[in-house]
Amino acid sequence: MKLTDNVLRSFRVAKVFRENSDKINCFDFSPNGETVISSSDDDSIVLYDCQEGKPKRTLYSKKYGVDLIRYTHAANTVVYSSNKIDDTIRYLSLHDNKYIRYFPGHAKRVVALSMSPVDDTFISGSLDKTIRLWDLRSPNCQGLMHLQGKPVCSFDPEGLIFAAGVNSEMVKLYDLRSFDKGPFATFKMQYDRTCEWTGLKFSNDGKLILISTNGGFIRLIDAFKGAVLHTFGGYNNSKAVTLEASFTPDSQFIMIGSEDGKIHVWNGESGMKVAVLDGKHTGPITCLQFNPKFMTFASACSNMVRKWSLSSSE
């Protein structure tokens, strides 16, 4: 089934999960779309079965906390950052709930984590103003970049380049094979004093980059030329919350939640808003992602996950 304006308008909440006692800070769909995993400020990791629409198991990271959880290529392993004790990134086997490896090095909180879509490489950005490049097979950092400010970063869908957003005003593109030579392209944006960048994502076709902010707008830019194609606004974010914005898997639509619990959807080509979905969230929707394989998406506010689908007759 193809996503259209009308199809997006017909999504409804199919399931509500109340597994958490504190804010859900991140979730990630597995590459095959069969599971989604969430991390929460209550130190729990919850694994959900997308096809059956129910929680499968809960693991805990009480000592170190858990944030920015990401699936690796193996269906049963994840990496995540810590939000207690230290700023080490941890590599966990879900199968037996054991750590496979630790990645120490960041001196302040990790605020960006992106797994390569093709191999064992991943990148992390921290409030210590560095971006580090890692390989799952080694605890040692494979590359280090010093920046002037807080970074956001992400791999492109082919895993050949990565983008770093710096100081909320520049996007730098690096070739993974020669990133130590510096960026091969730098796009300077208009600096906005009222907010800072909180996220950066490539579309699945690699042609677009979505920049989210903690203000009342997000930007869509051309991944090759750096031109701003659209600025999307008109949603509530008065408290400067970090709201996750996402592409649909076909790269055609852009979605973001808002602090009043509604989800806003735009057509990426026309720039027009095509839907406002009300999931009756009780607080700001901080996490929002579309399933990469199935016609569902998930949204989370403080401590509730909602699973959306085209009909509520699941």
Side-chain angles (χ1 to χ4, degrees), residues 101-154:
R101 198 161 282 115
Y102 303 102
F103 304 97
H106 282 300
K108 286 188 177 168
R109 185 166 175 167
V110 174
V111 290
L113 193 58
S114 177
M115 192 77 215
S116 162
V118 296
D119 60 24
D120 286 334
T121 314
F122 68 96
I123 47 174
S124 58
S126 159
L127 295 178
D128 64 14
K129 300 181 184 173
T130 65
I131 287 177
R132 287 174 181 262
L133 183 68
W134 309 89
D135 188 304
L136 284 174
R137 295 162 295 191
S138 163
N140 304 319
C141 168
Q142 307 290 303
L144 174 63
M145 286 159 34
H146 292 275
L147 307 165
Q148 261 74 56
K150 174 189 166 182
V152 288
C153 54
S154 182

Side-chain angles (χ1 to χ4, degrees), residues 7 21 58 68 76 79 114 147 180 196 217 229 281 290 302:
V7 167
S21 59
T58 301
L68 297 179
N76 255 338
V79 290
S114 177
L147 307 165
D180 49 337
E196 63 175 8
F217 67 92
L229 302 173
H281 274 288
F290 215 98
S302 52

Side-chain angles (χ1 to χ4, degrees), residues 81-116:
S81 61
S82 318
N83 51 16
K84 290 158 107 175
I85 295 190
D86 62 18
D87 302 289
T88 297
I89 296 163
R90 292 178 159 78
Y91 179 24
L92 177 71
S93 164
L94 301 173
H95 167 65
D96 50 9
N97 195 18
K98 286 195 169 68
Y99 291 117
I100 302 167
R101 198 161 282 115
Y102 303 102
F103 304 97
H106 282 300
K108 286 188 177 168
R109 185 166 175 167
V110 174
V111 290
L113 193 58
S114 177
M115 192 77 215
S116 162

Side-chain angles (χ1 to χ4, degrees), residues 10-308:
S10 61
F11 272 87
R12 297 290 178 267
V13 175
K15 285 268 169 66
V16 179
F17 303 103
R18 295 179 174 86
E19 306 302 304
N20 296 96
S21 59
D22 206 339
K23 179 186 162 226
I24 292 154
N25 51 45
C26 186
F27 54 57
D28 194 34
F29 280 99
S30 60
N32 63 10
E34 289 173 10
T35 58
V36 64
I37 196 159
S38 69
S39 55
S40 163
D41 288 355
D42 64 12
D43 307 331
S44 72
I45 295 168
V46 183
L47 186 67
Y48 298 90
D49 185 312
C50 293
Q51 285 154 308
E52 292 184 21
K54 63 183 189 191
K56 272 171 83 161
R57 60 188 296 211
T58 301
L59 308 171
Y60 292 95
S61 180
K62 294 264 185 220
K63 186 175 178 185
Y64 305 107
V66 54
D67 197 358
L68 297 179
I69 198 155
R70 302 278 184 259
Y71 273 106
T72 67
H73 300 291
N76 255 338
T77 62
V78 291
V79 290
Y80 64 82
S81 61
S82 318
N83 51 16
K84 290 158 107 175
I85 295 190
D86 62 18
D87 302 289
T88 297
I89 296 163
R90 292 178 159 78
Y91 179 24
L92 177 71
S93 164
L94 301 173
H95 167 65
D96 50 9
N97 195 18
K98 286 195 169 68
Y99 291 117
I100 302 167
R101 198 161 282 115
Y102 303 102
F103 304 97
H106 282 300
K108 286 188 177 168
R109 185 166 175 167
V110 174
V111 290
L113 193 58
S114 177
M115 192 77 215
S116 162
V118 296
D119 60 24
D120 286 334
T121 314
F122 68 96
I123 47 174
S124 58
S126 159
L127 295 178
D128 64 14
K129 300 181 184 173
T130 65
I131 287 177
R132 287 174 181 262
L133 183 68
W134 309 89
D135 188 304
L136 284 174
R137 295 162 295 191
S138 163
N140 304 319
C141 168
Q142 307 290 303
L144 174 63
M145 286 159 34
H146 292 275
L147 307 165
Q148 261 74 56
K150 174 189 166 182
V152 288
C153 54
S154 182
F155 275 101
D156 83 317
E158 290 174 343
L160 297 173
I161 65 170
F162 64 88
V166 189
N167 285 358
S168 300
E169 61 176 345
M170 265 182 297
V171 175
K172 294 173 181 262
L173 300 182
Y174 294 85
D175 187 312
L176 199 58
R177 292 154 300 191
S178 57
F179 76 94
D180 49 337
K181 296 188 173 76
F184 66 83
T186 300
F187 309 138
K188 199 156 170 25
M189 310 276 146
Q190 192 179 341
Y191 181 64
D192 190 310
R193 232 173 251 104
T194 62
C195 63
E196 63 175 8
W197 294 0
T198 52
L200 183 151
K201 287 183 183 179
F202 278 89
S203 57
N204 273 346
D205 61 10
K207 294 176 181 173
L208 305 165
I209 294 174
L210 182 60
I211 295 167
S212 19
T213 73
N214 62 359
F217 67 92
I218 51 179
R219 282 210 177 104
L220 187 66
I221 70 170
D222 182 302
F224 302 105
K225 302 189 182 86
V228 176
L229 302 173
H230 297 291
T231 299
F232 304 118
Y235 58 91
N236 295 350
N237 190 14
S238 62
K239 299 187 182 79
V241 179
T242 296
L243 304 170
E244 182 178 23
S246 289
F247 287 101
T248 50
D250 61 5
S251 309
Q252 303 300 309
F253 298 91
I254 288 94
M255 320 166 69
I256 193 169
S258 59
E259 70 182 8
D260 59 6
K262 293 185 171 69
I263 292 169
H264 297 253
V265 188
W266 294 268
N267 183 308
E269 197 167 350
S270 68
M272 301 296 289
K273 189 175 285 188
V274 297
V276 178
L277 304 168
D278 189 358
K280 305 285 189 287
H281 274 288
T282 52
I285 298 174
T286 48
C287 304
L288 177 67
Q289 279 181 37
F290 215 98
N291 188 306
K293 299 288 188 224
F294 301 106
M295 204 54 109
T296 64
F297 66 89
S299 58
C301 64
S302 52
N303 56 353
M304 283 183 282
V305 175
R306 279 160 164 72
K307 175 179 181 269
W308 298 69

